[in-house]
Amino acid sequence: MLVLENVSRHFGGLQALSGVNLRVEPQRVVGLIGPNGAGKTTLINNISGLDHPSSGHILFDGQPIHRRAPHRIARAGVARTYQNIRLFGEATTFENVLIGQHGQGRASMLEAIAFWPSFRREERTLRERARELLAQFDLMDVADVPAANLPYGAQRRLEMARALATNPRLVLLDEPTAGMNPSETRALGEQILRLPQMGLAVLVIEHDMSLIHQVCDEVYVLNFGQIIAHGTPAEVRDDPVVIEAYLGKE
Amino acid sequence: MDFLIEAILSVVRPIGITEPVLQFMLVNAILGISMYLLLRTGMFSLANAGFMAIGAYVSVLLTKELDFALGAALVVAVIVCALIALPIGLPVLRLRDIYLAIATIGFGEVVRIFFLNVDNMILSYLNTFQDAGLRRYELVGGGRGVRNVERLTETWHLIVFLIVIIFLLTRLQRSRFGRAMVAVRQDERVAANMGINVVYVKNMVFVLSAMLAGAAGVFNGHLTRIVTPEMFGFDRAVDILAYAVLGGTSVWAGPIVGGFVLTALPEVLRRFNEYRGVFNGLVLLLVIVYLPGGLINPQGWRKLWASARRRLTGQPAQPEAGGG
Amino acid sequence: MDGILLQQIVNVISLGSIYALFALGYSLVFSVLGVLNLAHSALFMWGAFIGLLVTDRLEMPLWVGLIAAMIVTGLLSVLLELIAFRPLRKRGAARIAQLISSIGAAILLVNIAQLLFIRVYNRVEAAYPRGLVPRQPIIIEELGLRITPARLIVVIAALVVMILLQYLVTRTSLGQQMRAVAFNQRTASLLGINVNYIFLMTFFLAGALGGLAGVLYALITNVVDPFIGQNIALIGLTAIVLGGMGSINGAVLGGFIVAGIQIISIDTVGSSYRDALVFLLLFAILLIRPQGILGQPESTRA
Ligand SMILES: Nc1ncnc2c1ncn2[C@@H]1O[C@H](COP(=O)(O)OP(=O)(O)OP(=O)(O)O)[C@@H](O)[C@H]1O
Ligand SMILES: [Mg+2]
C-alpha cells in the first residue's frame, strides 16, 4: 500500500536519506529504527508531504504522492504523529480531535452558516465519533481541557487519537512512547496492536526495542540515511550490521 | 428601530457619545471584526486599510457619479474588494508573520498612492492615446479627495449590518471551517497534515476580511462625506489592528468592544483629547504585554488576577497543571 | 551630460547613506533577536528632533547635536527593549505580539514628540537653524558638480559610522558575542555570554544608528516634524528585505539601491510614483526572493 522507491533527500551537502526502498502492506505494523540523526523523521516528513524527496518515488495505493500537498496526502488516508508533540495547545482535547476530522466533513460553508439539516446531521455524527475516540484513548475526563495543560502521557495519547480522527488507512508514528514510563509504553503498545485489527497499516519509529518486539511484524533499520537491514524484529536484533551501527566500530 | 437608537443615545449622550460618534463606533467594530478574522487564522496582515479605501472610493463614485443607492454601491464595492483580494492573497499569503506584515503594509501604500495619482494616470492616458488634449481631469480629486459625498449611511444600516455579521460569524466559527482557522493559526503544518487545505483557508479568510473592510469603507465614506487617500494610510491600518488587539481574538465580542472603546474613549475623555495618540499607543503596548488575550478574555483576566494576588500576598507561584 | 550623471550619483550616495544607516538599525536588531522593531522609525524621528532641540534651542554646534541625538535615541531604544520586547520574549509570545507591541511603542513615541513639539514650537514643524552648516555649495567646475556642505557631512558621517560598526561587529569582543547570540541564543548563554546584556547593547547601537540617520536626514531636508519617520519606515523595510533580513551588508546595499531607484524614478516617471515604485519593488522581492539578495533561504524543518 505504501511503497518508497529509491527515495533520497539532501539538505545542502547533508544526505539525510539516500536511496531508501521500503514497503508497508495493509494491516501490517512496520517498525523503523536507527540511531539519532539517521533520517527517520525526515522519512516520515517526506511521506506526509511536509517535505519532498530530492529524488525517488513515493506511492500510496499505487498513486505517486511525493509531490502532493500535505492536506491531499492526509485526505488520501495517511495520518501521522510528531516526535516532539505538536498539538493545538489552545484548543481543547475534544476540539483537537474535531480538527483531525476536518477532511471528513462534507458540508459546505454555506450549509454551515445556514445551519442546514445536512450540516447538523454531519456535525452530530462527527462529534459522536470524536467522543468514541476520546473514550478509546482514555481522554474523556479531560475532553474540555486545553491540550497544552494536559499531562505528558495524555498529550501523547491525544496525538494518536487526533491522527486516527482523520480516518486514515496508514498511520505514521514518530516515537509515540518517547518520555513515557514502561507501563504507559506497554499500554500504548496495546493500542498500536489494535490498529491492524481496525484495518490500518502502521509505520512506527521507536527507540524502545521491547515495544518494537511487542508490536512490529517487520523492521527496517536506517543509518546515515540508508536502509542497512530489514527483517523480523528478532532477525534485525541479531544482525551484526545493526549492532555495529548502534554501538559503533570497536 | 429609530426608537431603539434614540433610547441608546439618550443613555450614552450624557457621557459624550452623540449619534455620529455611535456611527463611527459601529463602523470601527466592523473593521475590528475584519482584523479579528485575520488574527484568528494567524495572519498578520495590515492590508485592510487598503481594502477600506477601495470600498470607500468605489462606492462613493457609484453613488455620486452614477446615482447608485447605498445598498447597490455596497454590494458592488464589496465584490470589487473580493476580486482584488484574491489575486493579492494567493501570492502574498505564502509569506508569514513579519514578511506578510511588510508585504501588506506595502500593499496599503500602493493603494494609497494609486488613489493619489489615478487622476493624472487617466489624464495622461487620455492625452497620449486618445489625443483628448485635456488640461486636467478629475475623478477622485488626488490629494484633496472626493468631496461633497452624500451622507447616506444611517445608524440603523450599521446596526443591522453588524448584527447580520455577528450572526454569520458565530455560525462560521462553529463549523468545520471555523475550527480549521484556529488550527491554521496554531500550527500550519500540522493543520495541513490533518487534511486542512491551508492555502484555501487563508485565502478565504483574507477575502472575507477584505470584503468586511471594504464594507466598512463604504459606510465610512458616506459618513465623513469626503474621501481622501490620507484617510487610509498606515495609521488607519494600525487603528484597525488596535481594535482587534484591545478587544482580543478569543471571542467575536472582542473586536467589537475594542472598536467601541477606542472610538468612544477620546470623546468621553474629551478633555484629554490632546493625549489621544499617547493613549492609543499605551493601550496597544500595555494590552499586548500584560493582557495578551485582550479585554474580552476571561482566561487572561484570571491569570492576571492570580499573578497580582500572588505578588500582593507574597505567595509562591502555583505549579501549572500538566507539562510539555 | 556627465555632470548630470555625476550629480545624480552624489545624490544617490548621500540619500543612500541615510537609508543605509537607518536600515542598519533595523537589521542589527533583526539579526540578533529575530524580531522587527517597528518603532525604529520613531527613533529616527526622535533623533532629528533631539538634534533640532540641541542645535536650535540650546544653540550648540552640530556635532554636539549628532552625539546627543545618538545617545538619547540609543537610550530610548534600550527602553523599548525593556518595555516592549523583553516581557514578551520572557513569556515566549509569538513574533506577531512583538510586532504589535513595537507598533504601540512607535505610536507612543510619535505622539509624545508631537506634544513636545507643540510645547516648544507652538506647531508641529520646525527647521534646523540657518547657520548650522554653510549653504554655499562646493562647486567642482571641471566635473560640473555642485555639492552642498550638508550632503558632504552626511556622507562623511555615515561612512565613518559604518566603518566603526563594521569594526565593532567583526573585530571586538562585543561584536563577537553579538554574532554568537545571533547564531544561537542557547549556545551563547551556555558559553557564558550575558545574552540580556548583548540584547541591550544591540538595541542601543540600533537606536543610535536610527537617531543619527534622523539628524542627517533633517540636515538635508531642513524640516523636522513628528511624522518624518513614517515614510522612512517603509523605505527602511524595503532596504532590509531587498538586502536580506538580518544581513548587515545587505541593509547597506538595500539602502543604496532604494535611494538609486527613487532618484532615477524622479527623472523618468515623475516624483509622484517614486514611492509606489519602491513598494512595488518590495512586493516583488518578497514574492520572488523573500530571503533578499544576500540572505539565506529559511530552512524548512518540520
Ligand atoms: N530541514 C532540515 N534542514 C537541514 N537539515 C535537516 C533538516 N531536517 C533534518 N535535517 C538533518 O537531517 C538529519 C536527519 O534528521 P532526522 O530528524 O530525520 O533524524 P532522526 O532519525 O529522526 O533522529 P532522532 O532519532 O534524533 O529523531 C539530521 O542530521 C538533521 O540535522
Ligand atoms: Mg526524529
Side-chain angles (χ1 to χ4, degrees):
Chain A
M1 113 185 289
L2 177 74
V3 181
L4 275 71
E5 289 172 352
N6 222 354
V7 170
S8 298
R9 174 69 169 124
H10 53 82
F11 300 107
L14 184 96
Q15 195 77 28
L17 294 174
S18 53
V20 172
N21 289 298
L22 180 150
R23 301 176 78 87
V24 181
E25 300 300 339
Q27 309 202 9
R28 299 272 280 181
V29 179
V30 176
L32 180 63
I33 61 174
N36 289 109
K40 305 179 296 293
T41 300
T42 305
L43 188 75
I44 283 200
N45 284 345
N46 277 275
I47 301 170
S48 64
L50 285 192
D51 189 9
H52 301 286
S54 312
S55 66
H57 300 272
I58 302 176
L59 305 173
F60 183 64
D61 284 342
Q63 300 287 321
I65 56 168
H66 50 273
R67 291 273 157 240
R68 271 198 209 169
H71 72 272
R72 291 186 51 217
I73 295 173
R75 289 186 196 186
V78 180
R80 66 169 292 180
T81 66
Y82 304 84
Q83 181 172 354
N84 24 22
I85 302 173
R86 287 173 77 167
L87 293 166
F88 301 112
E90 295 164 35
T92 65
T93 304
F94 189 54
E95 284 164 350
N96 266 276
V97 175
L98 286 180
I99 292 169
Q101 292 173 318
H102 185 87
Q104 290 152 66
R106 291 284 158 266
S108 71
M109 196 186 289
L110 284 181
E111 283 170 299
I113 285 172
F115 229 54
W116 219 247
S118 63
F119 165 76
R120 275 184 291 176
R121 216 176 311 121
E122 175 179 296
E123 197 73 355
R124 217 175 310 123
T125 42
L126 287 182
R127 280 165 192 271
E128 192 59 41
R129 164 121 176 80
R131 267 187 288 273
E132 282 169 21
L133 272 171
L134 289 186
Q136 182 187 337
F137 284 91
D138 195 18
L139 291 164
M140 242 0 213
D141 301 340
V142 289
D144 296 321
V145 177
N149 298 350
L150 292 178
Y152 185 79
Q155 290 192 347
R156 282 259 173 237
R157 293 197 306 266
L158 177 54
E159 278 241 326
M160 285 273 281
R162 185 181 62 174
L164 294 184
T166 65
N167 201 15
R169 283 174 303 126
L170 168 68
V171 207
L172 314 168
L173 304 173
D174 197 346
E175 304 197 14
T177 66
M180 283 185 162
N181 63 36
S183 78
E184 284 176 325
T185 302
R186 226 170 303 116
L188 200 88
E190 307 279 320
Q191 292 283 1
I192 295 175
L193 278 175
R194 286 179 57 185
L195 300 179
Q197 293 158 23
M198 292 157 59
L200 300 181
V202 181
L203 178 65
V204 52
I205 296 177
E206 247 320 319
H207 281 304
D208 186 327
M209 282 312 282
S210 66
L211 186 90
I212 292 283
H213 282 279
Q214 184 190 357
V215 303
C216 292
D217 300 310
E218 53 185 300
V219 180
Y220 285 86
V221 186
L222 198 62
N223 192 26
F224 292 118
Q226 286 176 317
I227 299 288
I228 54 166
H230 171 214
T232 64
E235 284 168 5
V236 162
R237 183 190 50 195
D238 300 331
D239 190 329
V241 180
V242 177
I243 296 169
E244 188 188 303
Y246 269 90
L247 301 177
K249 269 207 178 105
E250 284 299 298
Chain B
M1 200 67 183
D2 281 347
F3 173 76
L4 185 72
I5 295 167
E6 200 38 59
I8 295 172
L9 280 172
S10 64
V11 177
V12 294
R13 209 176 268 129
I15 58 169
I17 298 176
T18 55
E19 182 151 10
V21 177
L22 181 66
Q23 289 171 329
F24 286 115
M25 286 165 65
L26 292 162
V27 169
N28 291 341
I30 299 171
L31 288 170
I33 293 176
S34 79
M35 192 71 216
Y36 163 87
L37 285 174
L38 293 168
L39 290 179
R40 212 176 152 80
T41 321
M43 295 188 286
F44 189 65
S45 157
L46 291 168
N48 276 5
F51 288 115
M52 189 187 175
I54 294 168
Y57 270 104
V58 168
S59 67
V60 156
L61 289 179
L62 288 176
T63 56
K64 199 175 165 221
E65 308 288 336
L66 301 175
D67 285 329
F68 269 51
L70 183 65
L74 177 69
V75 171
V76 175
V78 164
I79 291 174
V80 169
C81 283
L83 291 179
I84 293 173
L86 202 58
I88 297 282
L90 277 173
V92 165
L93 295 178
R94 285 183 316 182
L95 302 170
R96 243 160 278 179
D97 51 45
I98 291 171
Y99 297 90
L100 178 61
I102 297 174
T104 50
I105 292 172
F107 166 76
E109 284 302 296
V110 170
V111 169
R112 194 177 60 79
I113 295 169
F114 171 80
F115 284 117
L116 205 55
N117 296 301
V118 64
D119 284 1
N120 289 331
M121 283 155 66
I122 296 174
L123 178 69
S124 52
Y125 170 80
L126 289 178
N127 285 342
T128 334
F129 295 101
Q130 316 233 318
D131 277 328
L134 296 173
R135 301 265 316 283
R136 51 192 292 275
Y137 177 88
E138 183 163 323
L139 181 68
V140 300
R144 281 169 307 147
V146 184
R147 281 143 296 163
N148 301 324
V149 180
E150 238 184 298
R151 199 185 162 96
L152 296 174
T153 306
E154 309 243 3
T155 308
W156 72 264
H157 295 157
L158 290 164
I159 293 179
V160 169
F161 188 84
L162 194 59
I163 289 174
V164 170
I165 292 298
I166 292 171
F167 175 76
L168 296 179
L169 186 64
T170 49
R171 282 284 168 86
L172 189 72
Q173 283 188 15
R174 268 188 295 161
S175 76
R176 195 162 72 96
F177 187 83
R179 292 192 291 265
M181 284 168 60
V182 175
V184 169
R185 178 189 70 224
Q186 295 184 52
D187 195 329
E188 236 173 76
R189 288 156 77 76
V190 175
N193 277 152
M194 296 299 134
I196 294 170
N197 186 344
V198 175
V199 175
Y200 171 80
V201 171
K202 283 183 162 188
N203 279 280
M204 196 66 182
V205 170
F206 189 70
V207 168
L208 289 175
S209 170
M211 290 166 78
L212 272 182
V218 173
F219 291 125
N220 197 66
H222 292 88
L223 280 175
T224 50
R225 308 202 49 212
I226 174 166
V227 175
T228 69
E230 299 315 314
M231 294 164 68
F232 308 102
F234 183 66
D235 286 353
R236 173 73 76 166
V238 171
D239 283 344
I240 298 174
L241 172 68
Y243 304 144
V245 169
L246 173 67
T249 50
S250 44
V251 286
W252 56 264
I256 296 176
V257 171
F260 281 180
V261 169
L262 281 181
T263 318
L265 259 185
E267 304 297 330
V268 175
L269 308 173
R270 197 180 287 276
R271 258 183 311 147
F272 303 103
N273 215 351
E274 201 187 355
Y275 300 99
R276 177 181 172 159
V278 175
F279 178 79
N280 275 350
L282 217 51
V283 163
L284 209 52
L285 192 59
L286 290 179
V287 167
I288 199 74
V289 174
Y290 293 106
L291 245 180
L295 283 180
I296 311 301
N297 173 27
Q299 234 177 334
W301 282 110
R302 225 172 291 141
K303 252 192 209 150
L304 193 71
W305 168 240
S307 77
R309 203 174 44 184
R310 221 177 297 136
R311 223 170 264 175
L312 286 178
T313 56
Q315 279 171 359
Q318 298 235 330
E320 286 269 326
Chain C
M1 196 59 216
D2 267 357
I4 294 175
L5 185 67
L6 226 70
Q7 190 70 53
Q8 296 291 46
I9 291 174
V10 169
N11 291 346
V12 170
I13 289 176
S14 57
L15 189 64
S17 320
I18 295 173
Y19 290 172
L21 278 181
F22 178 72
L24 272 173
Y26 262 135
S27 191
L28 216 52
V29 170
F30 186 83
S31 63
V32 176
L33 284 96
V35 299
L36 199 59
N37 177 12
L38 286 177
H40 191 55
S41 57
L43 297 176
F44 172 89
M45 178 272 299
W46 268 88
F49 185 37
I50 296 293
L52 176 75
L53 290 180
V54 170
T55 56
D56 183 48
R57 290 285 117 164
L58 304 179
E59 296 175 10
M60 300 276 210
L62 179 62
W63 65 269
V64 180
L66 281 174
I67 290 173
M70 288 176 75
I71 292 175
V72 173
T73 51
L75 292 176
L76 279 176
S77 182
V78 166
L79 204 63
L80 282 180
E81 148 72 354
L82 295 178
I83 294 174
F85 291 100
R86 184 174 288 181
L88 290 173
R89 212 171 37 239
K90 266 195 184 159
R91 203 176 63 210
R95 282 211 280 188
I96 290 181
Q98 309 196 21
L99 277 182
I100 297 175
S101 72
S102 71
I103 290 177
I107 298 175
L108 199 59
L109 284 172
V110 169
N111 280 285
I112 291 173
Q114 193 176 355
L115 290 176
L116 283 175
F117 249 96
I118 293 171
R119 292 283 182 287
V120 178
Y121 287 100
N122 256 320
R123 59 204 155 103
V124 290
E125 197 185 276
Y128 272 45
R130 290 194 152 272
L132 196 59
V133 283
R135 284 285 153 95
Q136 194 61 43
I138 302 158
I139 300 176
I140 305 174
E141 291 282 356
E142 305 89 87
L143 299 173
L145 209 58
R146 297 158 54 94
I147 306 173
T148 58
R151 282 187 189 270
L152 207 60
I153 293 172
V154 166
V155 175
I156 291 170
L159 210 64
V160 168
V161 169
M162 277 187 241
I163 290 170
L164 284 178
L165 185 74
Q166 190 70 28
Y167 177 80
L168 186 123
V169 172
T170 54
R171 295 289 156 79
T172 65
S173 94
L174 176 66
Q176 222 167 27
Q177 295 183 15
M178 280 168 68
R179 279 181 295 148
V181 174
F183 184 70
N184 189 326
Q185 257 181 59
R186 266 239 299 282
T187 329
S189 75
L190 286 179
L191 289 173
I193 295 175
N194 183 345
V195 176
N196 275 331
Y197 168 75
I198 295 298
F199 285 164
L200 287 180
M201 287 312 286
T202 306
F203 266 95
F204 182 85
L205 278 175
L209 287 169
L212 174 66
V215 186
L216 297 180
Y217 186 77
L219 220 52
I220 291 189
T221 57
N222 249 317
V223 196
V224 184
D225 67 50
F227 314 108
I228 54 169
Q230 273 174 4
N231 235 344
I232 194 126
L234 284 160
I235 288 168
L237 286 178
T238 311
I240 55 171
V241 169
L242 207 61
M245 297 279 273
S247 153
I248 301 274
N249 296 329
V252 175
L253 180 67
F256 282 108
I257 293 179
V258 173
I261 291 172
Q262 281 195 333
I263 285 175
I264 293 166
S265 68
I266 293 178
D267 279 355
T268 50
V269 294
S271 62
S272 34
Y273 303 111
R274 189 187 67 182
D275 291 340
L277 221 62
V278 172
F279 301 132
L280 285 178
L281 177 74
L282 171 66
F283 233 57
I285 286 283
L286 279 171
L287 298 183
I288 299 164
R289 197 180 155 82
Q291 73 270 29
I293 298 173
L294 301 182
Q296 302 291 322
E298 255 189 295
S299 93
T300 51
R301 295 198 70 128

